[in-house]
Amino acid sequence: QADASPGYCWPFQGSQIEVLIRLPTPVQPVAITIQHASKIASPLGTVSSAPRDFTVSGLDEEGEDETLLGTFTYAMQQELTQTFPLQVRPVIPRAFRFLKLGVQSNWGKPGYTCIQRVQVYG
């Protein structure tokens, strides 16, 4: 449970990152939410550190068997909090203990990528 105040985020070095999220219990995920601070609320007055293109994958208990659950774009022109339905149809066949968030690009910040909040629904 992170602080949602502007300026508080999980900073990661670079514009391409991978984050492994350990869920408290195995979950059959249906959607993921990403949140970033607004340009107005940002202490630096910019949102270039926000993730842009990213993937979400589910991993088994050992972290070996990986299932791609979706490829998405966080759109800065939309709401700060965006929910992405996972793209596995008709239903994700199983529950996962780990999710991998793989960010391929951000909105232009070369030094780091910041994620304010990630929520998993299942």
Side-chain angles (χ1 to χ4, degrees):
Q1 191 80 355
D3 188 335
S5 304
Y8 287 91
C9 71
W10 294 335
F12 299 95
Q13 186 174 1
S15 60
Q16 295 182 338
I17 61 167
E18 286 186 347
V19 179
L20 190 62
I21 301 168
R22 183 178 185 268
L23 302 169
T25 184
V27 172
Q28 195 168 355
V30 296
I32 189 165
T33 295
I34 303 288
Q35 179 181 343
H36 194 274
S38 71
K39 187 174 184 176
I40 295 169
S42 172
L44 301 176
T46 180
V47 291
S48 62
S49 66
R52 184 175 184 163
D53 298 311
F54 66 97
T55 59
V56 177
S57 299
L59 284 83
D60 64 8
E61 286 283 340
E62 294 78 34
E64 296 173 5
D65 185 24
E66 187 173 327
T67 303
L68 179 65
L69 303 176
T71 300
F72 309 100
T73 299
Y74 180 86
M76 290 308 307
Q77 302 79 11
Q78 296 180 6
E79 297 294 321
L80 304 175
T81 302
Q82 297 174 32
T83 300
F84 303 91
L86 299 176
Q87 299 169 342
V88 176
R89 300 285 185 242
V91 176
I92 298 165
R94 57 182 223 176
F96 299 99
R97 184 64 186 254
F98 297 94
L99 289 184
K100 182 169 77 174
L101 176 66
V103 177
Q104 285 74 47
S105 64
N106 63 22
W107 283 94
K109 185 72 174 174
Y112 65 93
T113 299
C114 232
I115 299 173
Q116 190 163 14
R117 179 176 286 172
V118 175
Q119 295 173 299
V120 177
Y121 302 93

